[in-house]
Each structure stands twice: as C-alpha cells, then as structure tokens.
Amino acid sequence: MKEFIIYHNPRCSKSRQALQLLREAGIEPTIVEYLKTPLEKDVLKNISQLLGLRPKDFVRKIEKDFKDNHLSESLEDDDKILDAMSLFPKIIERPIVVSGQEAVIGRPPENVQKLI
C-alpha cells in the first residue's frame, strides 16, 4: 500500500474532512501538524513540485501573516514565498496530501480521492 502524508491543521474543517476521507478508505496517513512543526524550505519546494504549482499558487493570501509581512509584493519570487511559508506556516494552503510522487490540495476535501 502506498504511504500517505497529510500536512494537517486539526483546527481546519477541510483538513479534518480530508483526513476522515483517507481513514474511511482504510488509509492511516502520517500526520504532520505543520503549525507545530514548520516545514523546511526544501520540503516546501518538493511539495510545490509534486503539486505542479508555484508557491504563490498554494499560499493563503487572506492570512494576517501574509498581509502584515507585505508578501503580495514577493509573489513572483518563489524563494521568498517558500521562505515565508517556512517562517509563517499559517499561510500554507491546507490540507496537502502527498502519496509517492503525487500531491493534492484537499480543497475541496474530495481532491484526496485522486490519490486513493
């Protein structure tokens, strides 16, 4: 069986729903609570590649940390956005589920079914 990792925020309903969908499919993923253990830049860069998205495409632009740090000015600089995501993990879109060389953003939560 493939290994699954969910980058999870237990306070987020979409993240909880994605985790529930995995469990209902008989999958117990490795759970990474990225707010407790911020992700290193190289991990975020790998996630970006697996998603097939630039960092600006999975950053939460509505978060206070994003606005307060004027990150909209750096959206085209992937390195700066990855650094910011590592420093301010609340700005990472959630949840993200990785399995092998594939990843999806669990918004909507049903997106995780593409990996199952």
Side-chain angles (χ1 to χ4, degrees), residues 8-48:
H8 180 59
N9 176 353
R11 295 184 63 189
C12 171
S13 64
K14 301 295 183 200
S15 195
R16 290 191 310 269
Q17 290 169 15
L19 178 58
Q20 180 179 345
L21 285 172
L22 289 170
R23 287 179 169 160
E24 286 173 356
I27 297 165
E28 186 54 45
T30 299
I31 299 171
V32 177
E33 289 189 35
Y34 64 91
L35 295 180
K36 291 182 179 178
T37 308
L39 305 178
E40 300 283 333
K41 183 178 180 179
D42 62 329
V43 172
L44 289 162
K45 187 173 187 176
N46 184 56
I47 289 170
S48 176

Side-chain angles (χ1 to χ4, degrees), residues 48-112:
S48 176
Q49 292 169 346
L50 294 176
L51 287 169
L53 298 173
R54 290 186 58 200
K56 71 175 187 173
D57 298 323
F58 64 103
V59 68
R60 295 174 60 84
K61 298 167 187 76
I62 61 170
E63 288 292 334
K64 185 177 184 332
D65 285 339
F66 183 88
K67 293 176 183 177
D68 289 354
N69 291 285
H70 310 285
L71 294 173
S72 61
E73 299 165 10
S74 301
L75 278 175
E76 294 304 320
D77 186 329
D78 291 352
D79 280 333
K80 284 186 181 178
I81 296 299
L82 289 169
D83 286 336
M85 290 170 134
S86 186
L87 191 59
F88 308 108
K90 282 186 179 179
I91 69 172
I92 301 170
E93 189 59 83
R94 60 188 180 258
I96 297 172
V97 178
V98 176
S99 180
Q101 294 300 307
E102 299 178 286
V104 295
I105 297 172
R107 283 184 175 271
E110 291 77 20
N111 281 350
V112 302

